[in-house]
Amino acid sequence: MKVKFFVQAISRLVGQDISALKTARRMLCAFSWRYDLTHGNTDSPKNRLVRGMCSWQSFLDAERRHWQTSSVFYKDLAAVLNKCLYEIHNSYPIRREREMISRGDYMYFAEDNCIYRLRKSIGETSQEVLFCPEDVGLQDHLIQRIRVSLGQSFLAIALKGYEREESVCIVVKSEDVAEIVCSIPNVFSFEWVTDRVLFHTKQENLQCHCVYATDFSNPSDTKLVYTEQDDSFFVDIYCTRDGRFLTINSNSKTTSEVWLIDCSYPFKPPTLVHPRMPGIVYHVEHSNGYLYILTTYGDTAEYKLVKAPLNSGIQHWKPIYQMQAESRLLDMEMLKDHCAVFLRHHNELYMDVTSLSSESVIHSLKFPEWACALQPALRPEENTNHLRLYLESPIHQPVMFDYSVLANRLSEVTDHSSEENETCRVVRMKAKSKDGTLVPVTVLYEVGGGLRHRPLLVHVYGAYGMDLNMSFKAEKRMLVEDGWILAYCHVRGGGELGCEWHKQGILDKKRNGLDDLQACITYIHDLGFSQPYRTALEAASAGGVLAGALYNSTPWLFQAMILEAPFMDVLNTMLDTLLPLTVEEQEEWGNPLLNMQHYRSIEAYCPYENIKPQNYPSVLITAYENDQRVPLHGLLRYVKKLRTAAVHYFQSSTLPDRKMPNILLDVRPGGSHCDSLSWEDSLQKVELVCFPGLNTVLLCSTLYPLLYPVSSCAVYPRKFQKESIRQVLMLETQGKNSTE
């Protein structure tokens, strides 16, 4: 029946337009591969492809040899940059508060990748180690999350390794002497609802559909609590701020549904807040007997905060706060009598404070202009109207602030040098895209002249309604101190201007994000920031779609491209429903298998499909061997096709400006996808994977050679401390030569 339905669908599509025959044939071929694989056809194209995997292994081995040979030339530079990064880190430490969990007279916290406990009444002398990953033979894993049961009888600890995305949950009995009780594999989220009952979700093949409850009064008693039947939905759990309810959150890319577990009666069936409605997202908190729901339900697509009695229908949802147009919801904190909403409005950070009693906004605060990212610190203590948060930017270290609702006062806690704000500029501007839409751009640089001749690093993402990561990074600070300009393009498809901004960059509107990116880079150059031959483009994961599309459409706009685990073969990925995320991703990219309009839209911008012989910039791609989200074989196919096109152009073109780009693929062990680690964790990873090990070093050590080839007489920009990086390299090289 499936085959008959598919053939009928293809026939209808072909009947609409004869030019669709080629497209339909490809769709039918893709379907036949999956059908043959499912039904065991031993001579199918799919199986012939599997038999040809030896050739792909040979190609992978060749790419690894090519990378090893190429990276030797950058080894000295990487060592110098590594030294510079250590100096930057020591000069600009990330002052994160130790995440201490308070329970009665005890404090629990993680330090040096171990879990400690101490008594407040005694102090540091009472500190004891409760758990280290070495205790369970997982010394290569890092502690991700800690949950303490209500009566402190147990700890639940999430450990994550570098080989896979799933975490393992270790349950430790913490009464008197710590004792490891059990290990739960493939856990995504977990919460204690009583002193001995732990709820957790299980992640398998990148999907999370089931919620389980374990009563550690009888550890063998584990029950299935909830199952999600729709493959496009992902399930996680969290407890409301007051601990009254556990929420089971089932979310697709555009729709959500929430169930409640009363923590006083953990084994009663969950209660549905409201059935899922296509295109409507909502999240639930609880305070003083009422539900406070953040939702996109209503006249506009942006988030609202509504108040509702328990066990009431949607007709009783009463709006008490409305997001402004072109605003992005970042976070929300429930306090004793107030609700604090953190938002990005017109690309600047704000906080609105709503009184739960008057149900109106009583304070609206704009954060300092240099701040590009916001992170609430530890969740505030119960029954308080005071909160703590961090503000930062890619080049400004995190600064801790305290906010008092009653005094409406924001005060800086950590020492913060004003010199950073005086020497480093954060400029916000808007570029006009092809259709007239104004696209936000954030530019960061060090004060001084010669902007036209400085190198420029452009960042882009533009997918899933997510913001660009603009938190502090030591390597970004190093680049700016050495004269670089950083630009962050907040294109459509991302979430910087709210839900509507995301919707304008999905499905057949994905091309808007590409037009936005091109307009941003052109506008930056027109304003006198750098030039195309000194410009590099950086992207990761789904950001690789827009970066790769621009790489094909307007390669003259930049000189080099840096990609990490990029999504480059959108069309073939979305045609393969056997891949774990294809169905879930259809709300973002479309369903080219059954929708001809989606097929043609993806085909028009897909980086892999649009490779052609032309003058390409140099490129570095970092891939992970067991990455389930961006399979390695797809990137191998991309690199092979790209190198073939580049060689063809170089050999056939007679133009004087033709060049053979440096095309590098660095394949790393492990299965983590774009693993974002803290500085300390990254250094630990260096020890595990050896040189070059650290992505920050790799990024910088590749940017310089790509923009300034060794054969070029160009001098690296500005100076880092007393000597420029290139001068340091020359001195080290001369020393080696004289020794030899």
Side-chain angles (χ1 to χ4, degrees):
M1 287 298 292
K2 290 184 178 180
V3 177
K4 182 178 179 181
F5 170 77
F6 188 82
V7 172
Q8 288 175 348
I10 289 291
S11 300
R12 288 196 298 271
L13 291 172
V14 174
Q16 295 174 5
D17 187 351
I18 295 179
S19 65
L21 182 60
K22 179 181 177 181
T23 300
R25 186 182 295 118
R26 290 185 60 181
M27 295 169 66
L28 187 58
C29 179
F31 176 80
S32 69
W33 280 16
R34 291 186 291 278
Y35 182 83
D36 289 333
L37 182 66
T38 304
H39 291 77
N41 187 346
T42 57
D43 196 34
S44 67
K46 184 73 172 182
N47 285 336
R48 288 199 297 272
L49 179 64
V50 171
R51 290 198 298 270
M53 284 303 292
C54 292
S55 62
W56 284 112
Q57 184 61 48
S58 300
F59 183 67
L60 173 58
D61 294 339
E63 285 299 319
R64 280 181 164 145
R65 289 192 297 270
H66 178 59
W67 167 251
Q68 291 171 357
T69 302
S70 300
S71 61
V72 167
F73 295 104
Y74 311 142
K75 195 169 185 178
D76 291 336
L77 176 58
V80 174
L81 292 171
N82 201 355
K83 180 181 178 181
C84 294
L85 285 171
Y86 273 96
E87 293 179 4
I88 288 286
H89 178 64
N90 291 331
S91 301
Y92 301 95
I94 300 178
R95 296 168 178 159
R96 294 293 191 192
E97 189 181 45
R98 289 196 303 189
E99 290 201 5
M100 289 192 170
I101 301 173
S102 178
R103 290 285 189 274
D105 191 35
Y106 288 93
M107 300 289 289
Y108 300 82
F109 61 94
E111 192 170 81
D112 300 324
N113 208 34
C114 292
I115 306 296
Y116 294 85
R117 177 174 63 184
L118 62 81
R119 296 190 65 173
K120 302 177 194 176
S121 57
I122 299 177
E124 295 286 339
T125 57
S126 66
Q127 182 171 304
E128 59 178 323
V129 179
L130 295 180
F131 173 80
C132 292
E134 291 84 353
D135 298 342
V136 289
L138 297 175
Q139 54 271 9
D140 58 339
H141 284 53
L142 298 176
I143 294 172
Q144 266 195 324
R145 191 183 311 117
I146 311 168
R147 294 291 185 267
V148 182
S149 67
L150 301 184
Q152 305 180 66
S153 299
F154 296 91
L155 298 178
I157 306 157
L159 300 178
K160 188 178 184 304
Y162 301 113
E163 294 299 317
R164 54 188 303 178
E165 289 198 23
E166 295 82 3
S167 300
V168 57
C169 178
I170 306 297
V171 178
V172 177
K173 189 174 183 179
S174 56
E175 296 173 331
D176 299 326
V177 179
E179 175 189 351
I180 297 172
V181 177
C182 70
S183 171
I184 309 174
N186 303 330
V187 169
F188 180 78
S189 55
F190 54 89
E191 297 284 354
W192 293 100
V193 296
T194 70
D195 187 44
R196 294 179 178 272
V197 177
L198 179 74
F199 277 65
H200 70 273
T201 62
K202 180 164 287 190
Q203 183 177 1
E204 295 179 329
N205 201 25
L206 300 181
Q207 297 178 322
C208 197
H209 289 156
C210 296
V211 179
Y212 298 88
T214 299
D215 187 349
F216 283 91
S217 301
N218 180 11
S220 61
D221 185 16
T222 297
K223 297 179 180 179
L224 177 63
V225 176
Y226 175 84
T227 302
E228 173 57 58
Q229 303 295 335
D230 191 331
D231 287 342
S232 65
F233 281 71
F234 188 95
V235 177
D236 69 351
I237 59 176
Y238 68 83
C239 284
T240 57
R241 177 70 187 86
D242 61 1
R244 169 71 187 279
F245 292 102
L246 175 88
T247 66
I248 299 175
N249 313 284
S250 191
N251 305 293
S252 74
K253 291 291 186 291
T254 61
T255 305
S256 65
E257 183 177 80
V258 180
W259 297 74
L260 299 180
I261 296 284
D262 190 329
C263 293
S264 301
Y265 306 96
F267 291 105
K268 281 191 173 182
T271 302
L272 178 63
V273 175
H274 193 275
R276 63 192 65 175
M277 299 172 285
I280 302 300
V281 175
Y282 70 96
H283 311 281
V284 177
E285 262 293 349
H286 177 268
S287 178
N288 298 319
Y290 287 92
L291 298 181
Y292 291 89
I293 304 170
L294 274 173
T295 180
T296 58
Y297 175 75
D299 296 334
T300 64
E302 304 306 329
Y303 277 98
K304 307 100 186 157
L305 180 63
V306 302
K307 178 181 179 180
L310 291 172
N311 304 316
S312 62
I314 198 169
Q315 67 275 15
H316 298 290
W317 289 11
K318 179 183 178 182
I320 61 173
Y321 175 78
Q322 170 71 58
M323 293 281 293
Q324 301 179 59
E326 297 189 339
S327 296
R328 157 75 165 174
L329 173 69
L330 299 177
D331 209 334
M332 182 180 80
E333 280 287 3
M334 296 298 297
L335 304 176
K336 178 183 178 182
D337 304 308
H338 302 84
C339 173
V341 176
F342 305 103
L343 60 142
R344 189 188 304 276
H345 180 59
H346 288 296
N347 202 26
E348 294 191 89
L349 299 180
Y350 290 80
M351 176 175 65
D352 286 343
V353 179
T354 299
S355 168
L356 299 183
S357 57
S358 67
E359 300 178 359
S360 61
V361 176
I362 59 171
H363 302 305
S364 186
L365 177 69
K366 181 182 178 181
F367 291 116
E369 290 189 2
W370 59 263
C372 297
L374 179 150
Q375 179 64 49
L378 292 177
R379 300 188 75 178
E381 296 288 337
E382 293 185 27
N383 299 320
T384 182
N385 284 308
H386 174 276
L387 59 84
R388 177 166 287 183
L389 56 95
Y390 290 96
L391 298 176
E392 57 191 303
S393 85
I395 59 175
H396 295 87
Q397 62 172 319
V399 179
M400 184 188 298
F401 288 85
D402 273 342
Y403 177 73
S404 169
V405 175
L406 299 181
N408 188 27
R409 183 178 63 249
L410 183 70
S411 55
E412 186 176 319
V413 178
T414 56
D415 295 330
H416 178 54
S417 173
S418 60
E419 183 181 349
E420 288 185 13
N421 295 334
E422 295 174 357
T423 60
C424 296
R425 294 284 173 82
V426 178
V427 179
R428 293 174 174 87
M429 57 188 70
K430 292 185 178 181
K432 183 178 288 188
S433 192
K434 185 177 180 180
D435 61 0
T437 300
L438 296 178
V439 183
V441 184
T442 306
V443 176
L444 305 97
Y445 63 96
E446 194 170 54
V447 174
L451 292 175
R452 186 71 175 170
H453 303 289
R454 296 193 198 180
L456 167 68
L457 180 59
V458 178
H459 305 74
V460 69
Y461 189 71
Y464 306 121
M466 295 176 61
D467 296 0
L468 272 169
N469 183 358
M470 299 190 69
S471 58
F472 176 76
K473 298 290 184 182
E475 70 273 18
K476 305 300 184 187
R477 180 73 192 189
M478 185 191 72
L479 289 175
V480 167
E481 289 189 352
D482 202 44
W484 286 71
I485 302 167
L486 306 181
Y488 292 79
C489 303
H490 310 291
V491 303
R492 282 174 284 185
E496 285 86 348
L497 295 186
C499 300
E500 189 59 36
W501 192 249
H502 171 224
K503 291 181 179 179
Q504 292 178 28
I506 63 174
L507 304 176
D508 55 355
K509 297 180 181 178
K510 184 61 70 174
R511 177 83 194 189
N512 286 339
L514 175 58
D515 293 338
D516 293 351
L517 178 59
Q518 181 177 341
C520 289
I521 298 177
T522 301
Y523 184 64
I524 293 168
H525 288 157
D526 289 345
L527 289 179
F529 293 99
S530 194
Q531 301 171 67
Y533 75 93
R534 291 183 180 271
T535 299
L537 179 60
E538 180 187 355
S541 191
V545 174
L546 296 182
L550 190 72
Y551 188 72
N552 288 325
S553 63
T554 51
W556 55 86
L557 270 183
F558 51 99
Q559 180 78 3
M561 181 168 68
I562 306 288
L563 302 174
E564 183 179 6
F567 186 25
M568 307 303 279
D569 193 359
V570 185
L571 185 59
N572 288 311
T573 299
M574 297 309 297
L575 284 171
D576 190 353
T577 55
L578 290 181
L579 294 174
L581 296 179
T582 297
V583 174
E584 181 181 336
E585 300 283 314
Q586 286 173 354
E587 291 176 316
E588 178 76 21
W589 308 100
N591 184 357
L593 197 60
L594 297 178
N595 188 310
M596 182 63 70
Q597 184 177 353
H598 290 170
Y599 186 101
R600 288 176 179 161
S601 173
I602 296 174
E603 188 179 37
Y605 67 76
C606 175
Y608 176 80
E609 294 295 326
N610 291 280
I611 293 174
K612 59 186 176 184
Q614 60 177 330
N615 210 10
Y616 276 113
S618 294
V619 60
L620 165 69
I621 298 175
T622 302
Y624 300 92
E625 193 166 11
N626 300 315
D627 192 336
Q628 293 174 277
R629 295 180 183 272
V630 180
L632 178 58
H633 65 79
L635 290 177
L636 289 173
R637 292 172 62 239
Y638 175 82
V639 169
K640 184 175 182 179
K641 186 176 180 180
L642 176 61
R643 189 172 286 124
T644 300
V647 169
H648 181 271
Y649 177 81
F650 182 75
Q651 293 176 346
S652 61
S653 176
T654 58
L655 296 176
D657 65 340
R658 81 185 193 279
K659 65 180 183 296
M660 183 60 200
N662 198 359
I663 301 173
L664 300 174
L665 175 64
D666 176 24
V667 180
R668 306 205 175 179
S672 294
H673 176 72
C674 296
D675 206 357
S676 178
L677 302 174
S678 67
W679 176 265
E680 295 82 359
D681 295 343
S682 295
L683 294 182
Q684 184 172 346
K685 189 174 182 180
V686 173
E687 300 172 357
L688 296 174
V689 300
C690 302
F691 181 85
L694 192 59
N695 278 346
T696 57
V697 177
L698 177 62
L699 166 67
C700 300
S701 62
T702 308
L703 275 174
Y704 279 95
L706 288 181
L707 285 178
Y708 304 96
V710 176
S711 60
S712 169
C713 61
V715 179
Y716 289 153
R718 308 263 302 175
K719 288 187 176 183
F720 182 81
Q721 296 185 356
K722 295 182 180 179
E723 297 172 308
S724 72
I725 293 176
R726 187 175 178 89
Q727 288 172 333
V728 174
L729 269 181
M730 292 175 64
L731 289 173
E732 290 196 354
T733 304
Q734 290 172 4
K736 289 184 179 180
N737 291 339
S738 62
T739 305
E740 293 174 357

